[in-house]
Amino acid sequence: LASLEVDIGNLQPGNCMIVKWRGKPVFIRSRTEDEIAAATSVPMGELRDPQADEDRVQKAETLVCIGVCTHLGCVPINGAGDYNGWFCPCHGSHYDTSGRIRKGPAPLNLEIPPYSFVDDTKLLVG
Ligand code: FES
């Protein structure tokens, strides 16, 4: 399967880039300290699809997830919604800064693709 090398050297905290991998959008978000704190402070009992933030990231400051809503497949909007993560405008699903579903019809968190860090500024998706 094809891997995609992505240069994240210019990605500023709070920003999100979208790359295409295997025909799907992949979000790469450089998280701010506040966004990391929001993601790590949620009690598991509040989550519909319980997953700790640290199990979803390799480095706290970089979240990588597939940009396909787990409801019916729309592409959620970055930096929007009640939890400041992503908002899916199709039927109103709200994801948090860890890409976890928090409100709305989607059943599952945004999926994490296989990826690895080549170095501090390069990521290999796939
Ligand atoms: Fe995202 Fe329905 S496809 S809420």
Side-chain angles (χ1 to χ4, degrees), residues 51-65:
Q51 254 188 336
D53 181 64
E54 54 264 36
D55 293 335
R56 293 177 52 79
V57 293
Q58 294 180 22
K59 292 184 181 180
E61 60 273 23
T62 309
L63 176 70
V64 182
C65 60

Side-chain angles (χ1 to χ4, degrees), residues 54-120:
E54 54 264 36
D55 293 335
R56 293 177 52 79
V57 293
Q58 294 180 22
K59 292 184 181 180
E61 60 273 23
T62 309
L63 176 70
V64 182
C65 60
I66 293 182
V68 174
C69 181
T70 62
H71 181 224
L72 292 173
C74 290
V75 178
I77 297 165
N78 178 60
D82 289 0
Y83 299 87
N84 193 32
W86 286 269
F87 175 68
C88 182
C90 290
H91 316 91
S93 285
H94 299 248
Y95 295 90
D96 67 14
T97 56
S98 189
R100 294 172 301 200
I101 183 64
R102 301 296 296 276
K103 185 173 161 187
L108 298 170
N109 303 332
L110 295 180
E111 191 185 334
I112 308 294
Y115 71 94
S116 57
F117 284 92
V118 179
D119 57 34
D120 282 347

Side-chain angles (χ1 to χ4, degrees), residues 1-6 18-27 64-66 68 111-115 124-126:
L1 296 177
S3 298
L4 178 70
E5 188 171 289
V6 184
I18 304 179
V19 297
K20 207 165 192 189
W21 174 70
R22 293 175 67 185
K24 290 179 185 167
V26 172
F27 297 147
V64 182
C65 60
I66 293 182
V68 174
E111 191 185 334
I112 308 294
Y115 71 94
L124 199 63
V125 180

